[in-house]
Structure formats: C-alpha cells, structure tokens
Amino acid sequence: MIVRVRRRVGVHAPARYRRSVSLAASLVLTLSLVAACGDDQTAEVDRPSSAPVSTPTPAPPIDEVTPAALSDAVRIENVMAHVRALQQIADNNGGNRAAGTSGYDASLDYVAGLLRAAGFDVTTPTVDYERFDGGPVSLTADDLKVATRIVEYSAGTGDTPVTAAPVAVAGLGCASTDYPGSVRGAVAVIVRGTCTFADKARNAQSAGAVAAIMVNNEPGPLTGATLGPDDRPSIPVLGVSADDAERVRSARSVTLEVEAKTTAISTRSLIAETRTGTADDVVMAGAHLDSVVEGPGANDNASGTAAVLETALRLGSTPRVPHRVRFAFWGAEEDGLVGSAEYVRGLDPAARAAVALYLNFDMLASPNGGYFTHDGDDSEREGAGAGPDGSGGIERTFEKFYADRGIPLAPDDFDGRSDYGPFIAVGIPAGGVFTGAESQKSEAQAEMWGGRAGEAFDPAYHTARDTLDNVNTDLLAVNSSAVAYAVATYALSTAGENGVPPVAERRRADGG
C-alpha cells in the first residue's frame, strides 16, 4: 500500500481458522534469479540468498462454485506457501521485490507460471514511468532550522548545499513579470495558488533562481506537492508552512540540502482472466505485487497477492459462472498506483463499461491488525465520501461474511490510497478488506480485536522487517477466505444482486 495502517494483532479467530502453516507437498522449481544490490538495512538483507524457490503443487479447482465452497477451499497453508515463495524471491534478490528490480520480475514470473499452468488467459502489460526517490532534506534560514518538505520530482543539491539570499516573489509567481531582477542567483520564495508548482518553479528557474521555496497558503505543512515527471525544472524545490514563511523571507541567507533522484522504471502488471463467463460483464479482483525498496513486503503485499492467487487457482480457469472473472496483480503500486492507474487509463469506453466491479486486497495480515472494509456508502460520514453506486453493496457483502463468523468489522475511509482508487475515479464500484498500516490501534480497537493499543497496526510497515515473521496467519486465514467468498458471490450474481448495479444499467447512466 502506498500509505497504510499496519500492526500485529493477537486477534483470536475461530478455531476453524487457526490452522497449521505447514506447507503443502510441493515440487521445487529452481528459478534463475539475478542478485540485485538493494539499499539494505540489515546484515541478513546484505547477503542475497541463492536458495531455490518452492512452487507448490496447486490444489485442483473446486467442482461447483459457491461462496461457501470457494471460501472453504482457500486454505491458509496454501496461501502461506505463496507468501513463503515471495519471501524467498526477495531473499534471492537483494531483500526486496520493488518494481523495476529482478525481485519483482521473479515474483511476476512465479504468479504467471502458476496461472498459465492452470489455464488462465494471462497477459503482462508493460508500464513505463519515472520513480522519484527523495532522501533527507534540510532547510536553514540564518542557521536556524526550518521545517520543510521536498516537492516531488525536485532536483537534488548534490554534494554541495545551495546557499543564497531569499527573494520574495510578487503575486503568485505564475507570470514571468512576478520575478524581480534580484531573484537571479537567489532562492525564490513563492506562495502556493492559481498555477501549478511546476509552472512556478520553471518561471523561477527562467528568472535565474538557484532554488525555489513554495509557501503553503493555508495552515499546516505543504503536503502532496509535486512538479510532475514531465518538463520539470532542474533546480531544487522545497515547501514550507505559512507560519514559517516570514522567517525564510527575512533571512539574510538560506541553505538547502536535498537528496533526490528520478529514475526511469519499466515494469509489468499481470492480468489473468477466466475463459468462461460473459466477457462484457466482468468481475475483477486484484492486489499489488510489488514491495517497497526497503524490504520484502511479506504483509505489504505478499499477503494480498497470495490470497488472490490462491482464490484464482481454486476457482479455476473455466468455472461454471455467468461472469468472466479477471484477476490483477499490479506493478508499481508503491510508486503511486502506477500499474492500476495505467490499466484503467488504457481501457476504451466499452472495456471500462464491461467491468462490473473491482475488489481490492492490500495488507491482509498486519501483525497488530484489525478487520477493516472500505466504507463504500460513507456510513461513517468521515473523510473522502461514498464510492460509486454499488460500493456500499460490496461493503455489505463483506459485512455478512464477517458477521456470520462472529468477527467485528470496522469501516475504513474510502480514500483511494490503494489500487481501487483509479477504478472509483472513473465510476466503477469497488471495495475490499485490509488489516491496517502505519496508524495506531486505539483502545477500543484493541478491545474489539485484541492486540496492543497505542502501537501501529503494522510496526514494520515499509521496512526491511516486513518478513514472514511479520505475517499474522490468524488474520490472513480469515481474510483469504473473505477474498474467495466475495469473488464467488459476484461471479455468480445476477443483474442487480448484492447491491451492485448491473453493467447494462451503468452503461445507460454513462450514455452508452
């Protein structure tokens, strides 16, 4: 997940879900993997392994698809076999499975190999983009530290900090006439508003500024600011709060130290589709396949990948269901939902209209986790609001699954932080479950689910410690069954069932 709530939860699941994690009988497939150098944080990660990756022998597809049958068939020992394989792939490739690395490519080959062998129609569309990595950043005004944030796609300062006089820019810096002659060789200080940060920074560079500082036009730090990957200026660009603006403007000199780089990345997503069901009425389920550069991503998101993969294998490539079922394993989610966004952007109107709904599964095994579902109907009246019509029905489908098992389920803001975001942006109903990321578990949540209040749902979120030891198998067992339950429910649904409008109705609404 690009930003999440992770923790280790000592949730007491019903006994039927507390299963052994012994692996199923497996055949060993030795993958030719190239050790990649990573930005490693532990001695263990510093020494890439060369151990073979065990590819489990998949259990056969179930005979008759029902929600109960598919959810019972997706067993934790098989799901964990996939998680272990992805961990070994990371170990063999410098400690991570990030997009653009050999670890990611090997992860995709592992998933693709199993799905192709099972008879799925598999494609691996290429995704090209530029990844921005911003490291430590420092801003001082007359030797006093000022809180600052880097503007995404900023240039770095290299080995030599930039020191110059600050010059306040008139207006909002959207016109070349806003920049006085004194800005040449200086640091332009520009208030946010009207035009883009990129326009302001390009204007500053054209006027001769050696750096730019963007000032927020509302209380609080400048967050989410970006120059965009295209036609960006080559000067460093930082952001400060409105409260710190005067300290910067009135200083005799300011000094910026910025570590930043932009790297061209080519990666792939994986799309696997059944060969039965109506091709113009498609149920989609997906998880992101990549980890962050810092670690192997056992919880984020080998857990979701493994659950979706095992669901696909037990459903089979030719199920007797009315809907085509499409499984997605996204690349570059951690770099800004790149894979899913490119996929949705590439759908023509007919292909977009054919997607009945999208189910997303990201972080299903946080060690201090809880049971969350996306608040598709905005029943909590907090945050981002409701999703497209039908998202509330998906939420209710998950509510039924957990209620039937006596497990409390909490709504989570439908904020678009994972791969469902591009789908809801174009009006496709969506939903899913997850177990929390970097935010802290409350006392009430600890009382409801167990675990430790005041600690993150996943204390190892986006670190090298997100290994097999970080996976809560109790939560993963329940949530993997929930993935299968939802997929089967919607694969079997007739028009308008389970709260999701039929595709034909959405086409009419879109003017199709």
Side-chain angles (χ1 to χ4, degrees):
M1 205 179 225
I2 52 175
V3 184
R4 304 235 172 115
V5 179
R6 319 296 175 96
R7 308 179 179 181
R8 172 146 199 148
V9 165
V11 172
H12 301 291
R16 60 184 292 214
Y17 293 105
R18 294 199 294 271
R19 301 178 178 136
S20 165
V21 187
S22 61
L23 298 183
S26 63
L27 64 91
V28 175
L29 172 65
T30 303
L31 301 178
S32 297
L33 302 173
V34 179
C37 294
D39 185 13
D40 306 320
Q41 298 183 6
T42 69
E44 198 172 289
V45 172
D46 281 338
R47 294 191 297 273
S49 168
S50 59
V53 176
S54 292
T55 302
T57 303
I62 59 175
D63 294 329
E64 182 181 357
V65 178
T66 67
L70 191 58
S71 64
D72 287 345
V74 174
R75 297 177 61 84
I76 186 60
E77 55 264 32
N78 297 331
V79 173
M80 281 302 299
H82 302 310
V83 176
R84 289 178 185 277
L86 293 170
Q87 174 71 61
Q88 187 60 57
I89 287 169
D91 292 344
N92 290 354
N93 289 273
N96 72 76
R97 299 180 301 101
T101 68
S102 60
Y104 180 81
D105 290 342
S107 299
L108 187 141
D109 291 344
Y110 171 84
V111 175
L114 285 168
L115 291 169
R116 285 194 175 109
F120 284 85
D121 182 9
V122 175
T123 58
T124 57
T126 299
V127 181
D128 296 318
Y129 65 103
E130 292 191 313
R131 179 166 66 207
F132 174 76
D133 295 303
V137 57
S138 171
L139 173 64
T140 58
D142 289 340
D143 297 326
L144 294 175
K145 286 283 187 182
V146 177
T148 188
R149 298 192 181 196
I150 192 168
V151 175
E152 188 181 29
Y153 292 107
S154 167
T157 54
D159 296 332
T160 304
V162 170
T163 299
V167 172
V169 171
L172 294 172
C174 296
S176 59
T177 53
D178 291 342
Y179 295 82
S182 57
V183 82
R184 181 168 297 277
V187 175
V189 183
I190 313 167
V191 176
R192 176 185 190 177
T194 304
C195 60
T196 67
F197 293 112
D199 287 341
K200 295 172 189 284
R202 280 193 296 268
N203 287 339
Q205 181 172 328
S206 296
V210 295
I213 297 173
M214 305 295 171
V215 176
N216 203 1
N217 57 2
E218 58 186 30
L222 186 70
T223 60
T226 183
L227 302 175
D230 302 320
D231 192 25
R232 57 188 182 274
S234 58
I235 59 173
V237 183
L238 300 181
V240 299
S241 70
D243 291 340
D244 289 324
E246 188 53 37
R247 176 184 294 179
V248 171
R249 291 190 189 102
S250 62
R252 292 185 301 277
S253 71
V254 294
T255 298
L256 296 78
E257 295 182 73
V258 182
E259 288 189 22
K261 65 177 180 178
T262 299
T263 308
I265 301 292
S266 183
T267 191
R268 295 172 291 165
S269 292
L270 189 157
I271 308 297
E273 192 164 298
T274 58
R275 298 180 183 273
T276 54
T278 304
D280 62 357
D281 206 345
V282 178
V283 171
M284 283 195 72
H288 75 86
L289 182 57
D290 61 317
S291 74
V292 292
V293 173
E294 289 77 10
N299 180 35
D300 186 14
N301 185 38
S303 65
T305 292
V308 173
L309 174 58
E310 187 62 20
T311 295
L313 295 173
R314 297 314 309 272
L315 177 70
S317 59
T318 56
R320 293 190 297 274
V321 296
H323 295 277
R324 190 71 53 93
V325 183
R326 186 177 299 158
F327 296 96
F329 300 86
W330 305 115
E333 187 267 2
E334 297 291 4
D335 292 334
L337 314 181
V338 177
S340 55
E342 285 297 306
Y343 175 81
V344 171
R345 188 178 298 117
L347 295 174
D348 63 31
R352 181 183 296 179
V355 179
L357 72 153
Y358 173 70
L359 305 171
N360 192 69
F361 302 102
D362 190 0
M363 298 182 64
L364 301 186
S366 298
N368 191 41
Y371 292 97
F372 294 97
T373 188
H374 301 304
D375 188 9
D377 60 4
D378 195 29
S379 57
E380 294 297 291
R381 300 293 186 268
E382 290 184 4
D389 190 20
S391 302
I394 296 171
E395 181 184 358
R396 289 188 291 276
T397 294
F398 286 115
E399 287 173 346
K400 181 180 187 309
F401 173 88
Y402 290 92
D404 287 349
R405 289 152 180 78
I407 299 172
L409 187 66
D412 179 70
D413 185 30
F414 214 33
D415 59 8
R417 283 178 57 181
S418 190
D419 288 304
Y420 65 88
F423 288 87
I424 63 176
V426 297
I428 295 172
V433 295
F434 89 115
T435 54
E438 80 283 6
S439 64
Q440 291 188 348
K441 177 177 279 187
S442 69
E443 293 283 354
Q445 289 167 335
E447 196 171 317
M448 181 164 55
W449 294 315
R452 298 175 297 279
E455 293 187 14
F457 289 101
D458 183 357
Y461 177 65
H462 283 188
T463 72
R465 293 179 289 109
D466 188 8
T467 64
L468 285 174
D469 292 338
N470 197 49
V471 172
N472 185 326
T473 54
D474 283 348
L475 267 70
L476 183 56
V478 177
N479 290 328
S480 297
S481 291
V483 173
Y485 177 89
V487 167
T489 295
Y490 288 107
L492 292 164
S493 291
T494 56
E497 280 189 331
N498 301 300
V500 175
V503 163
E505 182 179 314
R506 288 203 296 109
R507 285 200 187 104
R508 286 194 297 272
D510 291 340

